[in-house]
Amino acid sequence: MTGLFVSGAAAQVVPPLPPLPLDATLNQLGAANAINSALPATPAPAAGFALLQSLPAPQLTGALDQLAGGIGADLGTIADQANTPLLNALMQRLGSGGGLLPLPGAEGASQSFPPAFAPWASALGGHSNISGDTASGAEHVSAGVAGFAAGLETRVGDSAILGASVAVGHESSSAGTGGKSKSNDITVALYGREGFGPAYVAGAIAYGWHDVTTLRIVTVSGTDDLEGKFTGEDLSGRIEAGWRFVMPDRAVIAPFLAFGGDRFAAPAYGERAVSGASDFALTYASNTITNEHVEAGLHLARDFGASDEVLSLGADAAWAHQLSGPPVIEAAFAALSGSDFLVRGLQPAKDTALMGVGLQLQGGGGLSYGVRGDGQFGDGITAYSGTLNLVYRF
């Protein structure tokens, strides 16, 4: 087809763009095809597009990486990674995901408390690195999050917990050749747990608002800083079921199965030039990106100390399997009518190892505090998160 490129081979090519190499990525091909399709119908294209014609293949593919706007397709994966510290903090409150399984007043616990209200506060943080994909052209992403959460929970009988929380946070990320994002977030959540003898079911659901700013730095014709702004929403959660085996010496072992997911929704939005020209500004169609996974693993916990001051040690190990495919969204060059193309983003590896360890010190007067660290490791992904918490039970 005239003016188009085909993955894996150079097709019949006419100006305006020279042929791409055989190993061009899908994102490079998508941007090139969109330009070639739209330029014939654009009598006076923006000056920046004329410069692409003279670039040799290595420089052209590098330019197309910048033009493809991959950061827009990665925002759902970034949000999913950013929600991990909060969900870990909520599951730790339930005595499951934190590995701190013996609940005060429940079977196997070292102390007995009456039903109580417990306000708590927690500092949250995390960082992840996800490698790029050479076939799709999705670029390496490095993302971090820091925030603060507070909540209130109540015991219901000897085996149930119900709670609610609110969290504020800030996310930032960088992707490949000049893509960046930042987000100020507010998240509200509900969580709970019910025991059935040695069995338990625990879950958390969170709804978040994200004030997102993206930035692409394009250096085809000078330096153009292209900014996008929108308010996104996401729904995330986790449900876990396990079986507690109470062991000698105040220890607990609990195998478990879990399902977790995140659904990130972004409205249609466009970029503007905050510096330089807007020749290569993109518009993005509204999109919803879903990340879902299942887990199978083991919680270990043990209490140490006397009745008036107890240190609980917990550790977790699990295998996680990703259910969702890589995100794909639709973009177009604002200066070229009919230049729609697909942008492919990143996802974590299909199979990863999850590891965590936590300490919780229960002192006199109902005050307790703790620390927890978690990690996710797999082919092309390394992620760490941590929480510090303070609880007062009355």
Side-chain angles (χ1 to χ4, degrees):
M1 182 179 294
T2 302
L4 297 183
F5 300 105
V6 179
S7 180
Q12 182 182 5
V13 179
V14 296
L17 296 185
L20 295 185
L22 298 181
D23 61 352
T25 70
L26 293 176
N27 281 349
Q28 293 167 353
L29 292 165
N33 286 344
I35 293 169
N36 278 353
S37 295
L39 279 179
T42 307
F49 289 98
L51 296 177
L52 294 174
Q53 304 174 29
S54 61
L55 295 179
Q59 294 182 31
L60 178 59
T61 54
L64 291 171
D65 283 333
Q66 295 180 0
L67 301 188
I71 187 66
D74 291 325
L75 295 175
T77 300
I78 294 168
D80 180 48
Q81 292 290 308
N83 281 329
T84 298
L86 176 60
L87 290 177
N88 285 345
L90 297 180
M91 299 304 289
Q92 182 180 17
R93 297 300 317 135
L94 297 173
S96 51
L100 308 174
L101 292 168
L103 300 176
E107 179 188 359
S110 59
Q111 302 184 64
S112 179
F113 287 87
F117 289 96
W120 58 270
S122 182
L124 315 169
H127 189 272
S128 59
N129 284 290
I130 306 176
S131 299
D133 181 75
T134 56
S136 69
E139 298 183 292
H140 168 270
V141 169
S142 177
V145 62
F148 176 83
L152 178 67
E153 64 195 35
T154 183
R155 295 285 308 283
V156 181
D158 287 337
S159 60
I161 293 178
L162 296 174
S165 74
V166 61
V168 294
H170 178 78
E171 303 171 36
S172 61
S173 71
S174 61
T177 53
K180 299 180 180 180
S181 74
K182 61 181 180 179
S183 174
N184 295 314
D185 310 327
I186 300 176
T187 305
V188 295
L190 299 173
Y191 60 98
R193 167 179 170 160
E194 178 61 79
F196 306 92
Y200 71 90
V201 177
I205 186 169
Y207 185 80
W209 294 266
H210 303 263
D211 181 18
V212 180
T213 300
T214 64
L215 181 68
R216 287 193 306 123
I217 301 174
V218 178
T219 58
V220 174
S221 56
T223 300
D224 306 325
D225 294 341
L226 306 176
E227 181 184 78
K229 284 180 173 288
F230 67 91
T231 299
E233 302 176 354
D234 80 328
L235 183 68
S236 60
R238 175 186 172 91
I239 186 167
E240 175 184 313
W243 193 280
R244 300 172 62 247
F245 295 92
V246 179
M247 310 298 289
D249 298 322
R250 300 156 67 188
V252 172
I253 298 176
F256 71 91
L257 296 174
F259 171 84
D262 183 273
R263 181 180 181 272
F264 179 82
Y269 68 98
E271 298 174 328
R272 66 183 184 92
V274 295
S275 176
S278 60
D279 294 2
F280 299 113
L282 292 174
T283 60
Y284 292 93
S286 60
N287 61 86
T288 299
I289 297 172
T290 300
N291 279 288
E292 298 174 340
H293 71 276
V294 293
E295 297 175 23
L298 191 68
H299 297 310
L300 307 172
R302 186 179 177 186
D303 284 349
F304 302 87
S307 60
D308 59 342
E309 189 170 278
V310 175
L311 176 66
S312 295
L313 170 64
D316 308 313
W319 161 78
H321 178 71
Q322 184 80 10
L323 300 176
S324 305
V328 180
I329 66 172
E330 184 177 339
F333 293 100
L336 295 179
S337 178
S339 60
D340 296 5
F341 64 100
L342 297 180
V343 186
R344 292 159 177 84
L346 281 176
Q347 70 168 17
K350 276 292 184 183
D351 296 287
T352 56
L354 306 177
M355 302 179 67
V357 62
L359 292 170
Q360 191 80 19
L361 180 62
Q362 175 69 53
L367 186 66
S368 67
Y369 46 92
V371 60
R372 175 173 175 82
D374 290 275
Q376 181 181 14
F377 310 98
D379 184 17
I381 179 171
T382 303
Y384 302 95
S385 64
T387 60
L388 297 170
N389 71 78
L390 179 67
V391 185
Y392 180 69
R393 187 179 299 277
F394 63 90

